[in-house]
Amino acid sequence: MWEHCRFIDSSRIKYLQGKDLEFSLHASIIHLLIVLTGMSFIRLITIQPGFLPKPSISVDFSGLTKDVHTKSSWIVCKACSIFTSPSAKHCSICNGCLVRSRGHWIITCVGPLNHKFLIQLLFWGTVFFIYSLFTAIQLPTKYNSVLCVGLSLSSLLFLAYRLYLEVLYIRRAEEGIHVTLLHIFGRGNKIFWLFPCSSSVSSKPNIADM
């Protein structure tokens, strides 16, 4: 992604040389979007997603048989040696159970404590590639290329689709859209929901939320 950003940016810089106002505006927008996207990615992969704590003493559940579970029943995660609910998921890569898991993303799981930063990454990445696509199309032919437009379009479609899935997840949540948004973004000022800053989401996963 960053090589692609540099490639598009260098083409626009060559075209805008000598146009001080346009160059300043372009540089401000493109670097702001890169910083917001990059910071969202860094926060996503560095913040612990909120794995349920494991017992200090290992418990042997090997003798239990696998039962048919209802939504309200408790189940056993033999890998983590804990009781949990069907709504929690175990990640074999990270070796932990997550409440409201959104799956494994690149090098980390996405759970209640870093879900906000995944949405921010998808949002700002989508905005960046929309800007890249439209500005790349507007460049004169000698500064443009099929590769430049193709990379912008393919990246935009991927990020927009992932963002669409997150919107569907929020809309279909049983606890309601507003409560789900508070779980994800915290109870801080809504102005900061789209910025990669700390929120009031609890750092301790609550088993009651499952």
Side-chain angles (χ1 to χ4, degrees):
M1 173 180 174
W2 306 120
E3 289 297 324
H4 174 46
C5 297
R6 188 174 62 179
F7 176 71
I8 296 175
D9 201 37
S10 62
S11 297
R12 282 179 292 211
I13 288 174
K14 292 177 183 177
Y15 172 59
L16 292 172
Q17 282 178 345
K19 302 182 179 182
D20 294 339
L21 180 59
E22 292 183 58
F23 176 79
S24 299
L25 180 61
H26 156 72
S28 299
I29 293 175
I30 196 68
H31 288 101
L32 176 62
L33 292 176
I34 289 176
V35 167
L36 288 171
T37 305
M39 286 301 300
S40 299
F41 176 74
I42 291 172
R43 297 299 298 274
L44 170 66
I45 65 175
T46 56
I47 289 182
Q48 202 265 3
F51 291 111
L52 295 175
K54 297 180 181 180
S56 56
I57 301 177
S58 179
V59 181
D60 184 13
F61 291 111
S62 58
L64 295 179
T65 58
K66 185 177 181 180
D67 299 322
V68 178
H69 305 294
T70 63
K71 186 177 178 181
S72 60
S73 67
W74 290 87
I75 63 174
V76 171
C77 176
K78 296 180 181 179
C80 295
S81 299
I82 60 173
F83 283 97
T84 182
S85 72
S87 62
K89 296 180 181 179
H90 179 82
C91 176
S92 59
I93 301 175
C94 297
N95 192 29
C97 285
L98 274 174
V99 179
R100 300 195 303 274
S101 171
R102 295 300 296 145
H104 194 88
W105 179 266
I106 306 178
I107 60 173
T108 185
C109 277
V110 178
L113 302 187
N114 63 351
H115 190 185
K116 165 184 177 178
F117 302 111
L118 172 63
I119 295 177
Q120 291 172 351
L121 171 64
L122 296 174
F123 175 78
W124 290 118
T126 299
V127 172
F128 170 80
F129 283 110
I130 289 175
Y131 177 79
S132 296
L133 181 62
F134 278 95
T135 53
I137 292 174
Q138 293 171 4
L139 288 176
T141 305
K142 66 177 181 178
Y143 296 110
N144 206 345
S145 70
V146 175
L147 178 61
C148 180
V149 175
L151 286 174
S152 293
L153 182 59
S154 59
S155 301
L156 170 61
L157 291 176
F158 171 74
L159 292 175
Y161 174 70
R162 285 291 314 193
L163 184 61
Y164 169 73
L165 294 181
E166 295 306 315
V167 172
L168 281 185
Y169 167 78
I170 295 173
R171 291 186 60 184
R172 294 175 178 176
E174 295 183 358
E175 52 199 0
I177 295 176
H178 181 67
V179 175
T180 304
L181 288 173
L182 291 179
H183 276 312
I184 295 173
F185 294 100
R187 299 180 181 274
N189 195 317
K190 294 181 176 60
I191 296 177
F192 299 104
W193 279 11
L194 287 177
F195 295 95
C197 53
S198 299
S199 63
S200 58
V201 178
S202 173
S203 60
K204 296 180 179 180
N206 187 357
I207 202 168
D209 291 336
M210 296 190 292

